[in-house]
Amino acid sequence: MNIKIERTTTPKTKPDQKALGFGKYLTDHMFLMDYNPEQGWHDFRIVPYGPIPMEPDAVALHYAQETFEGLKAYRYPDGSVHLFRPDMNAKRLINSNKRLCMPEVPVDLFVEAVKAIVKVDEDWVPSEPGTSLYIRPFMFTSEGQIALHNCSRFTFAIILSPVGAYFAEGINPVKILVEDEYVRAVKGGTGFAKCGGNYAGAMIGQEKAEKLGYSQVLWLDGAERKYVEEAGGMNFVYSINGEFWTAPTEGTVLPGITRDSILHILRDWGVTVREERMDIDTLIASGHDGSLKEAFACGTAAVISPVGALNYKGDEVTINDFQIGQLTQKLYDYLTGIQWGKVEDKFGWTVPID
Ligand SMILES: *Cc1c(COP(=O)(O)O)cnc(C)c1O
């Protein structure tokens, strides 16, 4: 891949690494490439970060033909920069794109583009504890077309943001509201795809939860509103009597890479993992009788966010006295240890950018 690089002549002042927040700052550059059926992917370029011109009738704006990914680059103690399982993001984007009738970005091309843009903005990868560089690849139909058939022109872009902790509360447990009115996904729908439309449709649940003093929503299945699926933009994992449970990824749950990594680690530790459906009444009852010992939401942005309380239809259960669970803490330390290059990467998950 031949990438044309146009460097900015007006580099930004870098933010204070101790007050990065999440997604507040964007780096100096972005990656772009275009697709059409004649040329396939072409015009690979890294240019100064800035607006992307678009026709007002662009399909992405009207009909939400858009997919995205999220991964991070981490600064190791020796100063080198590594990605975490970027091939998994590439493969997931292929699945998302298939569902949304968008062309594939080959895995190698995706990983090479990510490495190239991170390399150009390498100075932006922070080194303070808890920080990383969030990488946001995304793709959309740039074609103008109100009639909507067979779009053929697409744009793939990558932007970067140095980030601190996702939740203002840090690694402290959060309260979650179980959503019993709205749904996020149904079988045959787009729940497994990482696409903007899923978020647009789910925003109302998140807004409702926040209004009532909860930091996240827990979605139930779309057909019966009975089985536990996932949290807002994170998968949901919990332990009952020493066994770890999470919803199976059967079309309605986003197959999280953090989820997959955590299940791998738990199995490696000899912990029983059950990727099975759980109905919300049983889960709440397990909270009341104390067998629900640990719960957390997980995703690239926050890694692991312990859940201290669940509220379902006004019935609130507290989990582990609103303290982070013992294995939850151990998982967080181990997984982030691998990501930051402080713990041996025995699974071969980390990839240096050069
Ligand atoms: C991205 C995402 C996740 C978490 O996936 P990771 O690969 O672990 O970051 C979970 N649920 C939804 C809806 C998501 O969009």
Side-chain angles (χ1 to χ4, degrees), residues 69 86-96 105 107 110:
E69 271 303 325
D87 54 305
M88 294 284 283
N89 296 92
K91 288 176 196 151
R92 188 169 63 191
L93 183 66
I94 289 174
N95 289 335
S96 301
V105 178
V107 172
F110 177 97

Side-chain angles (χ1 to χ4, degrees), residues 53-62 142-146:
M54 216 185 294
E55 293 297 327
D57 63 345
V59 168
L61 296 179
H62 299 263
S142 35
E143 191 168 325
Q145 211 193 88
I146 286 184

Side-chain angles (χ1 to χ4, degrees), residues 68-71 84 88-89 92 134 136 184 191-195 198-199 202 219 230-236 252-262 298-303:
F68 67 98
E69 271 303 325
L71 66 162
F84 184 74
M88 294 284 283
N89 296 92
R92 188 169 63 191
Y134 185 75
R136 167 54 59 85
R184 191 193 87 93
F192 68 91
K194 213 167 170 73
C195 62
N198 286 346
Y199 276 75
W219 295 102
E230 63 174 305
M234 303 170 87
N235 294 112
F236 182 63
T252 53
V253 171
L254 202 286
I257 295 158
T258 316
R259 171 191 183 279
D260 182 78
S261 307
I262 283 168
C298 61
T300 298
V303 191

Side-chain angles (χ1 to χ4, degrees), residues 35-40 42 152-153:
Y35 179 93
N36 64 41
E38 298 77 44
Q39 294 166 284
H42 63 279
S152 58
R153 294 201 312 272

